[in-house]
Amino acid sequence: MNKKSIKDIDVKNKKIFVRVDLNVPLDDEGNITDETRIIASLPTIDYLIKNNAKIILASHLGRPKGKFVEKLKMDPVAIALGKHLDKEIKKMDYVISDKVKNEVKDLRSGDILLLENLRFDPREKSNDDNFSRELAKLADIYVNDAFGTSHRKHASMVGICKYIPSVMGLLLEKELRSLSSLLKKPKHPFVTILGGSKISDKIGVVRNLLNVVDTVIAGGGMCYTFLKSIGFEIGNSLLEEDMLEYCKQVLDEFKDKGKKFMLPEDVVVAKEFKHDSILKTVNIEEIPEDWLGLDIGPRTIDKYKEEIMRAKTILWNGPMGVFEWESFEKGTKEIAYAIIESKAKTVVGGGDTIAAVKKYSVADKISYITTGGGASLKFLEGVKLPAVEALNNK
Ligand code: AMP
């Protein structure tokens, strides 16, 4: 990797601005429901504490749309982070203010200060130059450890790099290394499992992976547009009409290259989009007109499992069905079990897929779980991430 890392610089007694991704999910009462992102940020913070740096942390939380939103203050995050580090976190009520500047001045080595939600300020998302400069003025060095936001051109991700030396944090470095190794010389057969609801999010990845993967296994809501593109009737199943032609092209490209793009042979269909709807399993050419497909069927599961058992590398993004509902979880659950039974190196990404591997208690048997859904897809699409590009070269 040609970008400088936190390990390439001297951080002792320096003020380090660390852009972390502490955008954790919250319930209606504002409680954190999953701390994965907080835990993922710990190695860099620990490293800085051990190396006597003065630490300024900043993140966004939720979608406040450039305005103050009481429920999206960083306070619960500060408490959770403090517990993990067993250390006091000084939580600020602003991103930039005289109080913040004074607190920063008084920081001692090993101290940690957490700024308020960056997205309370509209200038964060607009990558405003003055805001970027103000953020940069707080510190001597900038560290990007927010892999999950690195596809965004925001002030704390890109603009700030213009004004102070800027390097990768440990999480960002690990994410980039793991995903790059998937693209460079993966062991074959390389099987990509794609599901979830939106094709438009994933089609770029499919195209970019065309040269490295051997087989794509498709499920979830997205597979119905593929099925329709080659003439199947899909009833009321999810359809992205404007992707039909593109899907057909992708299938043709796979065929031309002699690679497999597998689609379901049978599916579980429901009369309504409801957890307790009437349901039945049908062959793919028999989807009734006003029913909709919500999971892959048993024959498809068996075929997909065979491919998974042969694989040496697996990338999984997107559930095979509406796994949140018991009646339609079988496909996703069986695929999760097959993955951990296989001998393959496995990489899992995307919020719902991570939720699925946790639900079926297989997360700790996966080789690598990438924290950045959108960012990892962009990276695997071959798109240069602007916030990584903005960092200093070695
Ligand atoms: P994505 O964010 O694109 O990965 O989509 C994840 C969501 O897709 C999950 O919430 C699933 O419930 C949903 N999903 C999976 N299969 C289907 C399906 N056949 N029809 C509608 N939604 C689905």
Side-chain angles (χ1 to χ4, degrees), residues 195-198 202 220-221 224 238 273 293-294 318-324 352:
S197 55
K198 282 199 101 183
K202 285 159 197 159
Y224 297 94
L238 217 53
F273 189 75
L294 295 184
M320 296 289 99
V322 183
F323 74 101
E324 297 92 336
D352 285 298

Side-chain angles (χ1 to χ4, degrees), residues 21 35-44 145 171 174-175 371:
D21 180 2
E35 296 194 351
T36 307
R37 285 188 166 147
I38 295 180
I39 293 163
S41 73
L42 297 176
T44 294
D145 213 25
L171 174 65
K174 188 170 90 172
E175 291 273 11
T371 55

Side-chain angles (χ1 to χ4, degrees), residues 180-193:
S180 312
S181 78
L182 203 63
L183 297 180
K184 275 183 223 142
K185 297 197 186 147
K187 283 200 178 151
H188 293 275
F190 182 168
V191 175
T192 295
I193 307 165

Side-chain angles (χ1 to χ4, degrees), residues 185-252:
K185 297 197 186 147
K187 283 200 178 151
H188 293 275
F190 182 168
V191 175
T192 295
I193 307 165
L194 289 180
S197 55
K198 282 199 101 183
I199 297 190
S200 27
D201 286 353
K202 285 159 197 159
I203 197 106
V205 183
V206 180
R207 274 236 155 123
N208 196 43
L209 290 180
L210 186 61
N211 291 319
V212 265
V213 298
D214 302 295
T215 305
V216 169
I217 287 174
M222 58 161 263
C223 72
Y224 297 94
T225 306
F226 279 102
L227 288 163
K228 173 111 181 159
S229 80
I230 47 170
F232 288 100
E233 292 304 330
I234 58 166
N236 281 339
S237 308
L238 217 53
L239 171 66
E240 279 179 76
E241 192 98 43
D242 54 344
M243 299 302 287
L244 278 170
E245 221 176 288
Y246 201 32
C247 285
K248 175 81 174 54
Q249 265 175 34
V250 168
L251 294 177
D252 287 343

